[in-house]
Amino acid sequence: MPYIVLKSGMEIFDLAMAYGISVVLHLATEILGLEEEVKIENFGSGWKIYGPEKLTKGDWKEIFKTAEWQGIFNEEGSFAWQRVFFTKKQKWRDDVKKVAKALEEAVLEIRPAEPIVAEVGSKGETIPGPLEPTGFKGARSKTRSPLAGNIKVDLKSWALACLGGACAIHFAWLADGTSGIIFDPEALYIDQIEFLQNLFKEECRLK
């Protein structure tokens, strides 16, 4: 059975959550030597993520100890953490550490067929600018979401979306400023992300 992320009305943030779960599951398959491929599918009101379903707490504890897991939070790695937390300036590393710690708790709560939806409220973690509904577009213009500015969500959703954003969003420096590009798939195997990133880079270079 697939893992499920439901749309909350914050399109980019919700999609980044789906990518975050996909990245975690993909990393687990590589570290544990599993043959399963991780796949995202859009089903209209959310995304289904297919991947390993029977990971135990012991499996995750072993995964957390590996260099592969710890490497995704390394600033020398390929994940765009500084771009996700660019409004934090020199303090962005603190948020990356918070993501890493939160994910080690969050993944133990994620189970197939139990839908995950971001919980918006007055408490929680503030969504980074590149992932919030209007900030991602680079302008405070109208979007389909009624939410805007300093939106707070639960820690689990925040951590998953930050990971997904760091992995899947391609940040490009264009003439009119920085733009973020994220692919909303009908169906996508997560190991195709690098291929898509290269396509995005080429498209931006041509412009």
Side-chain angles (χ1 to χ4, degrees):
M1 300 178 73
Y3 300 81
I4 298 171
V5 173
L6 296 178
K7 295 179 181 179
S8 67
M10 301 182 293
E11 298 94 332
I12 300 304
F13 183 86
D14 298 333
L15 178 54
M17 281 179 59
Y19 273 111
I21 293 175
S22 301
V23 170
V24 165
L25 293 175
H26 178 65
L27 194 61
T29 63
E30 290 195 329
I31 292 172
L32 299 176
L34 305 177
E35 295 183 358
E36 296 174 76
E37 290 187 287
V38 178
K39 183 181 181 182
I40 306 176
E41 286 187 0
N42 188 325
F43 65 92
S45 58
W47 295 270
K48 295 178 181 179
I49 301 99
Y50 295 89
E53 300 176 18
K54 298 180 180 179
L55 296 172
T56 66
K57 185 178 290 188
D59 289 332
W60 285 115
K61 286 184 177 180
E62 290 304 312
I63 290 168
F64 299 153
K65 295 176 184 177
T66 64
E68 291 91 341
W69 173 266
Q70 295 169 16
I72 66 177
F73 306 105
N74 191 317
E75 62 183 279
E76 280 80 33
S78 59
F79 284 40
W81 291 111
Q82 191 170 6
R83 298 286 183 87
V84 170
F85 296 119
F86 79 94
T87 57
K88 293 299 185 74
K89 298 182 179 178
Q90 298 303 316
K91 296 182 178 180
W92 64 272
R93 295 178 182 83
D94 295 336
D95 273 352
V96 176
K97 292 177 182 178
K98 185 184 289 187
V99 170
K101 183 177 179 180
L103 283 174
E104 291 190 5
E105 298 178 6
V107 296
L108 300 178
E109 302 174 7
I110 299 170
R111 294 176 178 82
E114 294 184 9
I116 300 171
V117 62
E119 299 175 11
V120 181
S122 59
K123 297 181 180 180
E125 300 297 324
T126 301
I127 296 177
L131 299 180
E132 68 104 340
T134 54
F136 183 85
K137 295 177 181 298
R140 299 288 167 175
S141 56
K142 292 182 179 179
T143 69
R144 285 182 287 176
S145 173
L147 302 170
N150 296 320
I151 304 166
K152 293 184 181 295
V153 295
D154 62 286
L155 181 62
K156 177 173 67 176
S157 298
W158 176 83
L160 287 169
C162 290
L163 173 62
C167 167
I169 296 176
H170 173 63
F171 294 92
W173 295 100
L174 304 177
D176 57 349
T178 304
S179 292
I181 305 169
I182 188 168
F183 183 66
D184 186 358
E186 289 188 9
L188 173 75
Y189 288 101
I190 196 64
D191 57 5
Q192 295 174 316
I193 283 292
E194 185 176 355
F195 172 72
L196 287 173
Q197 290 278 20
N198 290 333
L199 285 181
F200 291 155
K201 290 177 183 178
E202 182 65 16
E203 179 69 15
C204 292
R205 185 186 68 80
L206 292 175
K207 292 182 178 181

